[in-house]
Amino acid sequence: MTRVIVIGGSGHVGTYLVPRLVAAGFEVVNVARGQREAYKPNAAWSQVETVTLDREAEDRAGTFGAKISDLRPDIVIDMICFTLPSAQLLVDALRGRVEHFLHTGTIWVHGPSVAVPTPETVARRPFGEYGTQKAAIEAYLMHEAQRNDFPATIVHPGHIVGPGWAPLNPAGHFDPAVFSTLAQGKELVLPNFGLETVHHVHADDVAQMFMKAIGNWSMAVGEAFHTVSSQAVTLRGYAETVSSWFGHEAKLAYLPWDQWKQVHSAEIVEQTLDHISRSPNCSIDKAKRHLDYQPRYSSFEAVRESVDWLVAKGIVTTS
């Protein structure tokens, strides 16, 4: 039986990926820092071995890669690697020992969109620590795959959504109160003209991409794939659609960025700027062509599952 080690398998994507792997007949080991349960219960978890490791501490000690190698993986799926040195330590320990290594990247390896939808082939222009580190990891893994036969594949998700957590909202940040504002038919003020874009993906569609890559090894190794819904959405269109779910026509107003940021907290301003300054709009043509990736959810369908969960939990209020 093929043995798959999922590093960080109890998170958003792992909630859907691990049961898919079990159903496909893989022997699965979930490596996690703690004992947090998946966001969605599934009987498949009873068949999963869990190994507790603190990656940051093990990386500092230089032992994380060796401990993953000691688990005898055939396939490693790394959900939680954020720095180039961490990736290098793991690859060095797994070189010649795994059939497939899959890394979770991000569409933030791109900077601002130029011609859209953005294909994987464009030159990387990342900014910010997160995007810059992820782009460096991507370049390293592609070099190792193409020059040294390390069997790496990179999956680049967009803004991951699903029931159990608050999605990126129509104002470009994560405060669920924005959804309450729209649900109650109140006015929402957006930055600029609300024409910047965001590109969501349901966590289960990210899980689907990993399964497609594993099942199409020869097409996946040495490649990176955008993993998003079929279309990005504008902030304005997003707000209008959410309002329609609650039977309202959106009441929207707009402020230039320099004014909008004055009336929000530093945290919200930072989150919104991170998203609208990139305005991602990514192509999935490559993944559809090479891996038969077919996202089950549109951006709005994926977000609606999250919003329905927020309403059910009383986090988003409709009156």
Side-chain angles (χ1 to χ4, degrees):
M1 184 181 293
T2 301
R3 187 169 167 88
V4 182
I5 311 302
V6 184
I7 304 171
S10 302
H12 296 157
V13 175
T15 291
Y16 297 89
L17 175 59
V18 168
R20 279 178 173 264
L21 290 165
V22 172
F26 292 101
E27 179 183 0
V28 182
V29 179
N30 173 35
V31 175
R33 184 172 59 183
Q35 297 297 319
R36 185 182 71 183
E37 294 184 357
Y39 286 86
K40 186 177 181 180
N42 191 298
W45 286 93
S46 65
Q47 302 176 53
V48 176
E49 177 186 353
T50 296
V51 173
T52 303
L53 285 176
D54 184 327
R55 183 174 194 156
E56 291 185 7
E58 299 289 348
D59 271 348
R60 287 194 297 270
T63 55
F64 185 73
K67 289 191 175 182
I68 297 298
S69 181
D70 288 345
L71 295 174
R72 300 174 288 103
D74 298 301
I75 298 171
V76 171
I77 302 173
D78 191 354
M79 312 292 295
I80 53 169
C81 181
F82 304 109
T83 68
L84 178 57
S86 184
Q88 291 170 326
L89 286 169
L90 186 55
V91 169
D92 286 344
L94 297 176
R95 200 183 306 277
R97 295 175 177 269
V98 291
E99 299 171 6
H100 203 174
F101 178 84
L102 300 102
H103 170 82
T104 306
T106 173
I107 57 174
W108 280 15
V109 295
H110 301 291
S113 301
V114 179
V116 296
T118 303
E120 289 89 344
T121 52
V122 298
R124 302 294 185 253
R125 299 190 304 151
F127 61 90
E129 180 69 14
Y130 180 63
T132 300
Q133 282 294 315
K134 284 293 193 178
I137 293 168
E138 177 188 40
Y140 167 70
L141 290 176
M142 292 300 93
H143 177 273
E144 290 301 309
Q146 294 159 11
R147 299 292 181 87
N148 297 318
D149 295 322
F150 185 75
T153 297
I154 300 177
V155 169
H156 285 311
H159 314 310
I160 300 172
V161 293
W165 64 97
L168 180 70
N169 66 42
H173 57 82
F174 294 97
D175 185 351
V178 166
F179 294 109
S180 295
T181 296
L182 295 170
Q184 295 168 25
K186 297 179 180 177
E187 182 181 79
L188 176 66
V189 181
L190 297 177
N192 301 321
F193 292 104
L195 297 179
E196 292 88 352
T197 56
V198 289
H199 210 159
H200 296 86
V201 62
H202 195 286
D204 190 46
D205 279 328
V206 184
Q208 177 201 157
M209 180 68 87
F210 279 111
M211 298 301 295
K212 293 285 189 180
I214 290 170
N216 293 276
W217 183 93
S218 63
M219 299 298 293
V221 166
E223 300 291 344
F225 299 95
H226 291 152
T227 307
V228 288
S229 69
S230 57
Q231 291 181 300
V233 299
T234 64
L235 299 185
R236 176 176 181 163
Y238 185 4
E240 291 171 343
T241 299
V242 171
S243 291
S244 74
W245 297 340
F246 297 95
H248 302 299
E249 183 174 339
K251 296 179 181 178
L252 302 178
Y254 306 93
L255 281 176
W257 171 251
D258 284 345
Q259 296 178 34
W260 188 92
K261 71 180 184 180
Q262 297 301 320
V263 294
H264 292 86
S265 70
E267 180 182 18
I268 283 177
V269 168
E270 181 181 8
Q271 290 174 0
T272 299
L273 184 60
D274 272 343
H275 291 94
I276 69 173
S277 60
R278 291 174 173 86
S279 285
N281 179 350
C282 293
S283 170
I284 56 172
D285 284 350
K286 178 181 175 181
K288 291 170 70 175
R289 188 170 62 250
H290 292 295
L291 303 182
D292 191 33
Y293 170 64
Q294 301 290 340
R296 176 184 173 192
Y297 295 84
S298 70
S299 286
F300 292 139
E301 289 168 341
V303 170
R304 183 152 194 180
E305 272 202 6
S306 294
V307 173
D308 286 347
W309 180 86
L310 291 170
V311 171
K313 292 293 182 181
I315 299 169
V316 167
T317 56
T318 60
S319 61

